[in-house]
């Protein structure tokens, strides 16, 4: 019951798409709409996959700086394995000031989001389920990434340097005048009554000064408002400062309040600000809270940061602050405090089922393909392990397992990739795959177990149509050691076997180690090659013109055509088809899919070049 109860301030998962990862939000308000539904006003958190590559590079730079500042080597994530570093990126979030309203029925569970602390080990987030951290603030409108102003200053560099305790009779050698400034002497000759009388005089002078000032008379038209403004702390501070500067001489201090030019007018930030500026400040405080830097940049750029902070603490002493606090408390009482959301048990549309595989698809391939309970392997047809969905002959894109109680389609539809149940839950929660891929989980690689013989990804229907993708050209440059290992370790590499099984893994470390052991035993000079004398091309062309290849005869009608398929196809003139005639009626299945059928092998001829007169070359033809 408590797990399904969501309150204001909780960090929760929201689902906005059945295939995309869950959104991470913090509940700010729970409001009931007119039709009875509950909406949650939430703060948005963004993942790495949600921001641009430029900002990701900036986040990586900030992470490296954070690692350099960590003094404890146990907390530094540099020594973590690549897999844990990859998974740690999925735990990083970026806070934003953006608010949005989402239906409360889209909540899919709770999570924990904390501000990253320098004294905290990053690996601890991997040990906890549904744990995330953030250290940067992302602005979706401006596309900027800044450090959070509210970071906790913990560490040796934030601690005060405490001097040693002075022994009895030891003098302090520091210059105290540089460390502090004395502004009031409690042992002055004035009594408390005399000081209070002087403060009353100072308030009276401040009220008279406001009456003489034109701008103040407009802002405080009544005597009561002027007297209240003159009774503020700024007037009392100035009066006590005047007493200290005149060595607590009452006559000289009163004269300092009323110099030759007129009475001194002391104003604080509360009087200096206009009504429109006060409204802007209250609006900014509602949006940003006590983030005074953002308030200055976006609402009050003509005010200094000191002025804004001073005004805030004075504003908290006014009746307007008390009134707004009461209104917010009454509004909070009328709002929902919590909401109960039951578990979401509806099946995901991305679930793969064995019954949903269409005949002729991957589970029911035609023309002698394997059945629904087997997959083609390197040594023939291999039965599926128990628990694997029949009809899908590839492993999980994340953990490479082939056994799972439930499978989910993942990635582009034409790639036909899938995830097991555990990796699907990881994908939905953390927005990535458990193991790093070529594109860091953004797009999967080709479906290697679902390839045609020409390396063209095929759909479930068996046709490579709409599935052909442009392949990027590359140049493979091998080293001399690699070329030497191909000859020295042929018994380990087995090039002929690997040529027929291109997707089998190759233990390169073992080959390197064996090559290092065998190379010293090999001869220093390569074996001399037997020179081969080749005849000119004109002689070969004249021979081929004199002995043309006989034309290939078509098989008679009604006979069986031998193809590369295990099922013989009988060539008939009439083809039953309810729809329009297709090319399948004129060609075999292999021709239709771009696969050449296995043709009858013709006898191979080998040409031995011998010495003969130059007028006419002589050939010895041997037939095998």
């Amino acid at each position: 019951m408590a797990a399904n109860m969501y309150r204001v301030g909780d960090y929760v998962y929201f689902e906005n798409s059945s295939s995309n990862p869950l959104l991470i939000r913090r509940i700010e308000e729970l409001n009931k709409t007119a039709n009875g539904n509950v909406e949650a006003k939430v703060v948005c958190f963004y993942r790495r996959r949600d921001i641009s590559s430029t900002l990701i590079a900036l986040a990586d730079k900030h992470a490296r700086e954070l690692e350099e500042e960590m003094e404890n080597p146990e907390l530094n994530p540099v020594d973590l394995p690549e897999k844990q570093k990859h998974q740690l990126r999925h735990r990083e979030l970026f806070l934003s000031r953006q608010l949005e309203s989402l239906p409360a029925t889209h909540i899919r569970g709770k999570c924990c989001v904390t501000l990253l602390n320098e004294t905290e080990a990053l690996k601890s987030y991997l040990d906890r389920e549904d744990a995330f951290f953030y250290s940067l603030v992302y602005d979706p409108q401006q596309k900027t990434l800044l450090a959070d102003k509210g970071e906790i200053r913990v560490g040796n560099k934030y601690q005060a340097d405490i001097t040693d305790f002075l022994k009895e009779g030891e003098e302090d050698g520091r210059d105290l005048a540089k460390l502090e400034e004395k502004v009031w002497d409690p042992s002055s000759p004035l009594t408390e009554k005399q000081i209070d009388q002087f403060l009353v005089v100072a308030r009276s002078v401040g009220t008279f000064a406001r009456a003489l000032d034109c701008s103040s008379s407009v802002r405080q038209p009544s005597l009561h408002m002027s007297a209240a403004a003159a009774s503020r702390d700024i007037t009392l501070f100035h009066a006590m400062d005047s007493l200290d500067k005149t060595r607590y001489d009452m006559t000289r201090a009163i004269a300092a309040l009323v110099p030759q030019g007129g009475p001194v007018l002391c104003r604080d930030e509360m009087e200096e600000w206009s009504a429109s500026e006060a409204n802007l400040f209250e609006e900014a405080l509602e949006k940003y809270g006590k983030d005074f830097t953002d308030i200055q940049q976006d609402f009050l750029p003509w005010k200094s940061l000191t002025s804004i902070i001073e005004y805030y603490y004075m504003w908290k002493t006014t009746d307007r602050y008390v009134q707004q606090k009461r209104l917010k408390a009454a509004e909070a009482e009328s709002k929902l405090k919590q909401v109960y959301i039951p578990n979401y048990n509806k099946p995901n549309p991305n679930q793969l089922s064995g019954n949903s595989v269409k005949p002729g698809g991957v589970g029911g391939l035609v023309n002698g393909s394997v059945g629904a309970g087997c997959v083609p392997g390197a040594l023939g047809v291999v039965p599926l392990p128990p628990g694997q969905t029949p009809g899908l002959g590839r492993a999980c894109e994340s953990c490479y397992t082939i056994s799972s109680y439930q499978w989910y389609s993942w990635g582009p539809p034409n790639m036909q990739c899938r995830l097991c149940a555990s990796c699907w839950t990881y994908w939905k929660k953390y927005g990535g795959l458990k193991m790093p891929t070529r594109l860091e989980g953004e797009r999967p690689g080709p479906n290697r177990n679902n390839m045609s013989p020409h390396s063209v990804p095929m759909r479930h229907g068996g046709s490579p149509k709409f599935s052909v993708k442009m392949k990027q050209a590359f140049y493979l440059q091998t080293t001399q050691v690699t070329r030497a290992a191909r000859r020295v370790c042929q018994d380990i590499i087995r090039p002929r076997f690997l040529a027929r099984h291109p997707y089998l893994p190759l233990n390169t470390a073992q080959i390197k180690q064996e090559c290092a052991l065998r190379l010293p035993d090999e001869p220093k000079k390569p074996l001399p090659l037997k020179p081969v004398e080749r005849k000119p091309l004109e002689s070969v062309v004249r021979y081929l013109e004199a002995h043309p290849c006989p034309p290939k005869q078509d098989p008679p009608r009604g006979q069986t055509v031998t193809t590369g398929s295990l099922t013989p196809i009988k060539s008939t003139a009439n083809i039953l088809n309810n729809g329009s005639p297709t090319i399948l009626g004129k060609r075999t299945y292999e021709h239709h899919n771009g696969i050449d059928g296995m043709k009858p092998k013709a006898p191979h001829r080998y040409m031995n070049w011998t010495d003969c007169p130059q007028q006419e070359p002589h050939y010895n033809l041997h037939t095998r």
Side-chain angles (χ1 to χ4, degrees):
M1 183 73 177
N4 297 97
M5 194 68 69
Y6 300 93
R7 299 175 177 84
V8 175
D10 286 347
Y11 295 90
V12 295
Y13 293 112
F14 272 89
E15 185 173 28
N16 66 339
S17 173
S18 60
S19 57
N20 292 336
L22 299 173
L23 306 177
I24 298 178
R25 301 290 186 261
R26 184 181 69 225
I27 301 178
E28 292 293 310
E29 296 178 5
L30 291 172
N31 303 318
K32 198 170 185 179
T33 60
N35 55 4
N37 298 329
V38 178
E39 282 190 352
K41 188 177 181 181
V42 296
V43 175
C44 301
F45 285 84
Y46 292 87
R47 304 178 189 266
R48 276 177 162 260
R49 66 192 308 272
D50 301 326
I51 64 177
S52 63
S53 57
T54 307
L55 296 181
I56 289 178
L58 188 62
D60 293 338
K61 180 181 178 182
H62 179 267
R64 288 192 294 269
E65 295 175 354
L66 197 64
E67 293 170 3
E68 294 174 358
E69 294 177 358
M70 288 185 177
E71 300 178 359
N72 191 351
E74 297 180 358
L75 306 180
N76 202 322
V78 176
D79 300 332
L80 292 178
E82 287 299 326
K83 179 182 177 181
Q84 292 186 355
K85 287 183 180 179
H86 170 75
Q87 294 181 358
L88 198 59
R89 297 188 187 100
H90 301 155
R91 303 299 183 101
E92 183 179 10
L93 300 178
F94 302 98
L95 173 66
S96 74
R97 308 298 182 188
Q98 181 180 353
L99 297 175
E100 63 181 8
S101 295
L102 296 173
T105 54
H106 289 186
I107 295 178
R108 296 294 180 264
K110 295 182 182 180
C111 59
C112 178
V113 182
T114 56
L115 178 65
L116 182 61
N117 191 352
E118 295 179 2
T119 61
E120 197 172 19
L122 289 175
K123 189 178 180 297
S124 62
Y125 290 94
L126 297 178
D127 301 333
R128 291 179 290 163
E129 192 75 15
D130 304 321
F132 300 89
F133 67 90
Y134 75 94
S135 60
L136 300 175
V137 180
Y138 172 61
D139 189 348
Q141 280 75 31
Q142 302 294 332
K143 305 297 182 185
T144 57
L145 205 60
L146 301 173
D148 187 31
K149 308 298 188 306
E151 62 176 331
I152 303 174
R153 297 179 179 269
V154 179
N156 295 334
K157 64 180 181 178
Y158 298 115
Q159 305 302 319
D161 296 329
I162 303 176
T163 57
D164 296 334
F165 187 75
L166 295 178
K167 298 179 181 179
E168 187 176 357
E170 184 181 358
E171 295 182 357
D172 192 354
R174 298 176 299 172
D175 188 1
L176 301 181
K178 297 181 180 179
L179 300 179
E180 56 190 9
E181 181 181 359
K182 188 176 181 180
V183 296
W184 181 259
D185 188 6
S187 60
S188 63
L190 298 178
T191 62
E192 291 291 336
K193 184 178 180 181
Q194 290 176 328
I195 294 175
D196 291 340
Q197 289 175 348
F198 179 76
L199 294 179
V200 172
V201 174
R203 293 191 191 99
S204 303
V205 172
T207 305
F208 179 66
R210 283 168 176 78
L212 297 179
D213 185 63
C214 298
S215 60
S216 299
S217 61
V218 174
R219 295 180 182 179
Q220 294 105 12
S222 66
L223 179 62
H224 295 284
M225 297 179 63
S226 298
S231 301
R232 298 187 65 83
D233 293 340
I234 188 68
T235 304
L236 303 181
F237 290 161
H238 176 69
M240 298 177 75
D241 187 53
S242 300
L243 274 177
D244 185 72
K245 289 181 178 179
T246 57
R247 301 294 180 182
Y248 302 96
D249 187 350
M250 190 78 70
T251 304
R252 293 172 56 193
I254 293 176
L257 294 178
V258 188
Q260 186 176 1
V264 176
L265 177 60
C266 300
R267 289 178 179 173
D268 56 12
E269 295 297 333
M270 187 61 66
E271 286 188 80
E272 291 290 345
W273 287 44
S274 63
S276 59
E277 290 175 340
N279 292 333
L280 282 175
F281 175 79
E282 292 178 359
E283 181 182 350
L285 198 66
E286 182 72 20
K287 181 177 181 181
Y288 292 124
K290 292 193 294 184
D291 196 342
F292 300 114
T293 305
D294 290 346
I295 292 176
Q296 180 194 23
Q297 291 178 354
D298 297 346
F299 285 86
L300 300 165
W302 59 91
K303 295 287 186 181
S304 65
L305 192 61
T306 305
S307 175
I308 294 175
I309 296 175
E310 185 177 348
Y311 178 81
Y312 168 74
Y313 286 102
M314 291 182 179
W315 173 78
K316 291 186 69 174
T317 62
T318 61
D319 294 337
R320 184 166 180 82
Y321 169 76
V322 177
Q323 182 182 3
Q324 286 192 1
K325 194 173 182 180
R326 289 175 181 172
L327 290 175
K328 287 185 177 180
E331 186 180 356
E333 286 293 331
S334 61
K335 290 183 178 179
L336 296 175
K337 302 294 187 305
Q338 58 187 12
V339 61
Y340 176 80
I341 305 296
N343 291 329
Y344 186 78
N345 297 322
K346 294 183 179 179
N348 193 292
N350 294 275
Q351 285 185 7
L352 298 177
S353 174
N355 299 329
S356 63
V357 181
K358 299 179 180 179
V362 177
L365 298 178
V366 297
N367 285 1
S369 297
V370 296
C374 304
V375 292
L379 302 177
V381 176
V382 181
L384 284 174
Q388 182 177 353
T389 304
L392 294 174
R394 70 165 302 154
C396 174
E397 288 291 327
S398 177
C399 63
Y400 311 115
T401 183
I402 59 174
S403 177
S404 176
Y405 67 90
Q406 181 62 59
W407 293 95
Y408 296 86
S409 62
W410 178 80
N414 61 321
M415 305 299 286
Q416 295 300 331
C417 302
R418 64 176 186 166
L419 296 177
C420 64
S422 175
C423 295
W424 176 258
T425 303
Y426 186 93
W427 159 256
K428 293 290 287 185
K429 285 186 176 182
Y430 305 114
L433 300 183
K434 292 182 180 180
M435 302 293 292
T437 57
R438 294 178 303 169
L439 298 179
E440 292 297 328
E442 293 296 331
R443 191 180 67 180
N447 190 341
R448 293 179 174 176
N449 287 339
N450 195 17
M451 288 282 195
S452 70
H454 294 289
S455 298
V456 178
M458 299 174 63
R459 300 184 303 169
H460 275 201
S463 172
K465 188 178 180 182
F466 304 118
S467 299
V468 179
K469 287 191 175 292
M470 298 298 294
K471 296 183 178 180
Q472 186 177 4
F474 68 94
Y475 173 65
L476 179 62
Q477 184 178 6
T478 57
T479 61
Q480 295 182 356
V481 178
T482 304
R483 291 195 294 268
R486 293 174 182 170
R487 295 180 176 273
V488 175
C489 304
Q490 285 192 4
D491 56 333
I492 301 177
I493 300 176
R494 298 182 299 169
R496 292 177 61 86
F497 176 77
L498 291 179
R500 294 180 175 88
H501 306 85
Y503 300 126
L504 289 181
L506 192 62
N507 193 348
T508 56
Q510 178 188 2
I511 296 175
K512 285 183 179 180
Q513 184 179 4
E514 190 68 23
C515 180
L517 296 176
R518 296 184 183 183
L519 273 179
D521 299 335
E522 294 293 323
K524 299 299 181 180
K525 296 182 180 180
L527 296 176
L529 299 178
K530 184 178 180 180
V532 179
E533 181 183 358
R534 301 188 181 277
K535 295 297 181 179
L537 182 62
E538 298 178 357
S539 303
V540 180
V541 172
R542 284 198 300 269
Y543 174 80
L544 294 177
E545 290 178 352
H547 303 80
C549 181
K552 184 179 178 181
Q553 297 181 358
D554 295 334
R557 288 181 175 271
Q559 293 186 1
T560 301
V561 181
T562 304
T563 64
S565 170
L566 298 179
T567 306
I569 301 177
K570 188 173 182 180
S571 177
T572 57
N574 299 326
I575 297 180
L576 299 178
N577 192 355
N578 295 330
S580 59
T582 61
I583 199 168
L584 280 174
K586 298 182 180 180
R587 296 187 182 181
T588 63
Y589 173 79
E590 285 76 12
H591 289 159
H592 174 68
N593 287 275
I595 307 172
D596 298 332
M598 296 179 61
K599 302 176 182 179
K601 295 183 179 180
H604 296 278
R605 296 184 176 182
Y606 297 89
M607 299 182 181
N608 294 335
W609 303 82
T610 58
D611 297 332
C612 59
Q614 296 183 1
Q615 292 82 3
E616 185 66 23
H618 178 72
Y619 306 93
N620 293 332
L621 301 181
H622 302 277
T623 303
R624 185 180 68 177

